[in-house]
């Protein structure tokens, strides 16, 4: 992996850590796809409007919309390689990679697997997921390359009660 690749990986991990830290108690988790060519990806908008316009606070926006009450909480969000939001709420359907390394000792779900498999799709630079219970993971080329433990549900409830 080149220095540029490592920089993007670190930046994406940092962004997801910030999203997690800024999310409220109703955080439903989030998934992101980093790509310079979203038109070539196996994605489909879940809502009529998926263009976020110009977003200055990317972490704040992702934390805000990752709530079941928000219309864009579901699906993946597409980011540019400079981590600007290009599209919100996309159904992401990558092909399964049957020999992908998966750590089944951790509790993960469909978003995790879509990000893992999707990171190997041509045109995808990286993918990432964040959720309270699971934690944060970043993927490249069909492999998990970074992971941070999640917040416990009790800690999230306490955080929500403190606000």
């Amino acid at each position: 992996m080149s220095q540029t690749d490592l920089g993007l990986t670190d930046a994406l991990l940092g962004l997801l850590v910030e999203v997690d830290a800024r999310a409220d108690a109703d955080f439903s988790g989030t998934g992101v796809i980093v790509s310079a060519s979203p038109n070539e990806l196996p994605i489909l908008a879940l809502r009529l409007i998926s263009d976020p316009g110009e977003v200055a606070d990317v972490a704040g926006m992702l934390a805000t919309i990752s709530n079941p009450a928000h219309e864009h909480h579901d699906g993946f969000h597409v980011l540019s390689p400079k981590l600007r939001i290009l599209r919100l709420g996309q159904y992401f359907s990558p092909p399964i990679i049957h020999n992908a390394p998966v750590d089944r000792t951790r509790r993960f779900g469909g978003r995790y697997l879509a990000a893992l498999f999707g990171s190997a799709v041509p045109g995808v630079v990286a993918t990432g997921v964040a959720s309270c219970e699971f934690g944060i993971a970043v993927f490249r080329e069909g492999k998990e390359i970074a992971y941070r433990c999640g917040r416990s549900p009790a800690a999230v409830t306490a955080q929500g009660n403190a606000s």
Side-chain angles (χ1 to χ4, degrees):
M1 213 180 303
S2 73
Q3 195 66 19
T4 303
D5 291 342
L6 288 173
L8 176 64
T9 300
D10 289 345
L12 181 55
L13 180 62
L15 174 67
L16 292 171
V17 166
E18 185 177 351
V19 169
D20 183 58
R22 293 173 66 179
D24 64 19
D26 292 328
F27 183 55
S28 62
T30 194
V32 296
I33 306 163
V34 179
S35 176
S37 51
N39 291 336
E40 298 171 16
L41 302 179
I43 57 175
L44 179 71
L46 293 170
R47 303 290 173 259
L48 291 174
I49 298 173
S50 63
D51 180 351
E54 191 61 35
V55 176
D57 181 6
V58 173
M61 172 82 142
L62 291 175
T64 299
I65 66 175
S66 298
N67 178 310
H70 196 283
E71 71 173 324
H72 289 112
H73 83 277
D74 206 6
F76 279 74
H77 312 296
V78 182
L79 308 179
S80 73
K82 293 187 179 192
L83 303 184
R84 308 307 304 164
I85 301 174
L86 302 175
R87 296 189 187 168
L88 298 171
Q90 303 292 306
Y91 175 72
F92 185 37
S93 182
I96 294 170
I97 302 172
H98 291 284
N99 63 346
V102 177
D103 179 357
R104 288 185 172 82
T105 64
R106 286 191 268 149
R107 289 182 52 139
F108 60 85
R111 183 186 295 139
Y112 176 93
L113 291 176
L116 172 65
F117 301 152
S119 70
V121 168
V124 172
V125 179
T127 58
V129 295
S131 70
C132 275
E133 194 172 319
F134 169 76
I136 298 164
V138 174
F139 308 89
R140 292 186 77 121
E141 300 173 354
K143 296 181 183 96
E144 181 184 289
I145 58 167
Y147 172 74
R148 295 266 176 99
C149 289
R151 300 179 275 162
S152 73
V156 173
T157 301
Q159 176 188 15
N161 291 339
S163 344

